[in-house]
Amino acid sequence: MNILQVSAEIFPLLKTGGLADIAGALPAALKAQGCDVRVVLPGFASILTDLETPTVLAQINAPWGDLVVVRYGRLGTLNVFAYVIDVPHLYHRNGTPYEDEHRQPHGDNHRRFALLGWVAAQLAHGLDLYWQPQLVHSHDWHAGLTCAYMAFLPHQGQRIANVFTVHNLSYQGIFPPSYFFDLGLPLEAFHVHGLEFHGQLSFMKAGLFYADHITTVSPTYAREIQTSVQGCGLDGLLRTRSGELSGILNAVDNTVWDPAHDPHISFHYDVHKPFDKALCKAEFQKESGLALQADALMFGIVSRLTEQKGLYLVLSVLDTILSRGGQLVVLGTGEAWLEAAFRERASMYPKAVSARIGYDEANAHRIFAATDVTLVPSRFEPCGLTQMYGLKYGSLPLVHRVGGLADTVVDSSLEDLANGTANGFVFDEFTMQSLDRAICRAFALYARRYEWRRVSECAMSQNLGWEHAAIQYKALYQRLCT
Ligand code: ADP
């Protein structure tokens, strides 16, 4: 079965968050299920550089007139065939893929990402004479116009099915209505039954409205986004589409996240021989200037520092962590006030708090290996990957019961300890008090080393690989193609 995957990011070539991890892992997982997967990506420098033996597949004009070169080749790092949209003046920029160095969205983002959907639709409709997808799978608002273009661009032959996956409904790709005329879509698309959203353009809504099927990244989030609390104004549409909406839980790429073979960590361990995790902790304490204490309960955060992630709650329970002899390690980047707050706590308590502001893949691995607890107190969380990395590395996740966190973490309550299913800590109310109690529960369990070990074993032996998710995606694709 031929599948075309459409995304703005792909690990390890370009990553700002979980989307890249999924886009990087899914092609190989689907290949293992017998699918022939190709990807289409914007021509960011890191992606073009990785493209081996590129050929020019097509030179075509974008709806607003720009000359677009579509290159085809193999991404060497991922061993995946790719179509790359090479328009240097659109994609060769400083900053992140979406924002400039002053954290402002690029003024022409509507063109930069409309083009992704537009080229994907051209490929669906036969741009490559030698390979045609049977299904197009697009991800998040950046690729949201794919389904709209597939609905409206003229094509011959059989209609190609499509799936749109929501990784985070709160990032919607909203643009002023005047930009509509750049997109090359018919006027009827600018409608409440289309991509119009409160008088604006919404790329996310285009995906949700025109896709044959919508998935999101956990079953619980699939339910939550149909409510007014988490629906970001799109819950009405999502409720009307509930028959074509499902949640498929994300997974972990075991070739990247495995404490037994991780090249980023100095000491390797697994569930059967967990002892060298203590060496990872000691090394990290030494390198980051923390007190060299084997029995200090060490909490880790690897996260975007945004309001969604609930990290201001951690600031308010820091006293509880410190007064009980714990340590806190933070790696993140995001809102300036949160960066400053964690930096300030690190300078106030250098032996107990370490804060690195920035993005550092290797350091993230070292933190999961070093810490005892991974904190993910998100206000909402579509799936969340860091709690799963915590599970794999024996850094027990402590999470808010929401979205994918609720689907992956089982609290160390007495009954779940007794039946051997506890793998972390879960709090229900998104309040400082509720988080504080969960932190205290972590300290209480840590004092009972035998039980802590049993919970760690349960966490580390969890099967979090991609096989199960890939089987579900393939079954969905097959259903949509028949
Ligand atoms: P989101 O996609 O909302 O950012 P996820 O938990 O789904 O959250 O995925 C986050 C991914 O980004 C994980 O792979 C995590 O390790 C990584 N990550 C987040 N912040 C950093 C950072 N500062 N340095 C390195 N990796 C990070």
Side-chain angles (χ1 to χ4, degrees):
M1 179 175 227
N2 292 357
I3 308 295
L4 181 68
Q5 174 180 291
V6 194
S7 68
E9 304 179 23
I10 193 160
F11 179 84
L13 304 176
L14 186 71
K15 168 171 167 176
T16 68
L19 167 65
D21 287 352
I22 310 314
L26 198 49
L30 288 168
K31 199 169 156 188
Q33 299 303 319
C35 297
D36 178 0
V37 184
R38 297 190 181 185
V39 299
V40 55
L41 294 156
F44 296 112
S46 57
I47 289 169
L48 275 172
T49 311
D50 200 55
L51 197 65
E52 292 175 352
T53 57
T55 56
V56 174
L57 175 76
Q59 302 197 50
I60 39 181
N61 287 102
W64 55 91
D66 275 355
L67 181 67
V68 177
V69 178
V70 181
R71 296 188 190 280
Y72 169 69
R74 198 175 67 100
L75 292 173
T77 310
L78 283 145
N79 192 19
V80 168
F81 288 107
Y83 302 96
V84 180
I85 307 163
D86 190 7
V87 186
H89 75 271
L90 288 183
Y91 300 122
H92 293 192
R93 307 260 172 97
N94 292 331
T96 75
Y98 318 113
E99 295 176 344
D100 65 20
E101 57 272 56
H102 308 294
R103 296 185 178 172
Q104 294 305 309
H106 296 296
D108 55 357
N109 271 351
H110 69 294
R111 287 185 172 182
R112 300 170 78 231
F113 296 105
L115 203 52
L116 179 61
W118 186 78
V119 170
Q122 302 287 348
L123 287 161
H125 294 169
L127 188 67
D128 183 344
L129 295 176
Y130 299 100
W131 189 90
Q132 193 172 12
Q134 289 160 282
L135 183 139
V136 178
H137 186 171
S138 54
H139 295 264
D140 261 355
W141 75 260
H142 329 108
L145 287 196
T146 306
C147 306
Y149 283 124
M150 285 178 71
F152 289 110
L153 290 185
H155 67 281
Q156 289 158 354
Q158 206 189 338
R159 195 184 163 279
I160 307 297
N162 57 45
V163 172
F164 178 64
T165 294
V166 179
H167 293 258
N168 192 331
L169 194 65
S170 69
Y171 298 96
Q172 298 191 353
I174 303 279
F175 300 101
S178 57
Y179 289 11
F180 182 76
F181 298 102
D182 270 353
L183 303 183
L185 285 166
L187 256 184
E188 64 180 288
F190 188 69
H191 191 274
V192 64
H193 298 301
L195 53 77
E196 184 267 343
F197 185 58
H198 298 292
Q200 311 263 85
L201 309 177
S202 166
F203 281 29
M204 175 64 82
K205 189 176 169 209
L208 299 180
F209 186 83
Y210 290 107
D212 294 330
H213 190 93
I214 304 159
T215 68
T216 187
V217 286
S218 69
T220 296
Y221 193 59
R223 289 191 296 277
E224 288 171 345
I225 57 178
Q226 296 179 57
T227 67
S228 58
V229 177
Q230 292 225 39
C232 303
L234 290 163
D235 45 295
L237 171 59
L238 287 163
R239 281 194 299 275
T240 64
R241 299 222 58 194
S242 60
E244 298 105 31
L245 166 63
S246 56
I248 297 179
L249 192 66
N250 277 342
V252 172
D253 187 340
N254 290 320
T255 63
V256 178
W257 297 95
D258 177 5
H261 301 104
D262 190 330
H264 298 297
I265 64 178
S266 312
F267 307 97
H268 294 107
Y269 59 93
D270 61 24
V271 65
H272 307 294
K273 282 201 221 148
F275 315 107
D276 282 2
K277 182 170 171 65
L279 299 180
C280 295
K281 181 174 178 178
E283 184 188 57
F284 193 90
Q285 286 174 327
K286 206 164 151 198
E287 280 178 7
S288 48
L290 295 171
L292 203 56
Q293 281 174 356
D295 60 352
L297 185 60
M298 189 191 273
F299 294 81
I301 293 171
V302 176
S303 182
R304 291 184 292 115
L305 303 181
T306 60
E307 193 267 342
Q308 174 200 337
K309 299 294 180 179
L311 298 171
Y312 46 90
L313 288 186
V314 176
L315 292 168
S316 53
V317 299
L318 186 60
D319 281 349
T320 304
I321 294 176
L322 300 185
S323 65
R324 290 167 184 253
Q327 298 181 339
L328 175 67
V329 173
V330 181
L331 169 65
T333 175
E335 288 170 21
W337 80 271
L338 273 170
E339 292 184 354
F342 281 114
R343 266 206 191 98
E344 186 198 55
R345 300 309 191 280
S347 63
M348 282 166 73
Y349 310 105
K351 294 281 173 205
V353 180
S354 155
R356 291 198 197 177
I357 303 306
Y359 191 91
D360 184 342
E361 191 71 29
N363 197 27
H365 287 244
R366 292 155 62 78
I367 290 176
F368 292 114
T371 51
D372 303 297
V373 178
T374 295
L375 285 175
V376 196
S378 306
R379 190 165 62 77
F380 67 93
E381 192 59 78
C383 178
L385 291 172
T386 56
Q387 85 281 8
M388 291 201 263
Y389 300 155
L391 288 170
K392 284 219 66 166
Y393 282 68
S395 177
L396 303 184
L398 190 158
V399 306
H400 179 208
R401 195 187 304 280
V402 71
L405 302 174
D407 292 340
T408 49
V409 185
V410 179
D411 187 49
S412 293
S413 62
L414 280 179
E415 59 272 36
D416 283 314
L417 284 171
N419 63 26
T421 50
N423 63 12
F425 309 95
V426 185
F427 63 98
D428 287 295
E429 306 295 325
F430 186 67
T431 60
M432 178 193 138
Q433 290 79 4
S434 192
L435 172 61
D436 198 71
R437 284 179 65 80
I439 300 258
C440 292
R441 208 150 60 246
F443 276 103
L445 191 73
Y446 196 56
R448 302 171 181 212
R449 292 305 165 95
Y450 170 73
E451 289 190 70
W452 183 274
R453 235 185 353 262
R454 280 194 61 212
V455 175
S456 301
E457 279 166 16
C458 176
M460 292 179 73
S461 52
Q462 224 101 88
N463 180 3
L464 299 168
W466 267 101
E467 192 185 356
H468 184 56
I471 289 170
Q472 291 177 76
Y473 278 119
K474 188 178 172 194
L476 172 66
Y477 299 160
Q478 281 173 328
R479 183 165 64 73
L480 293 171
C481 286
T482 51

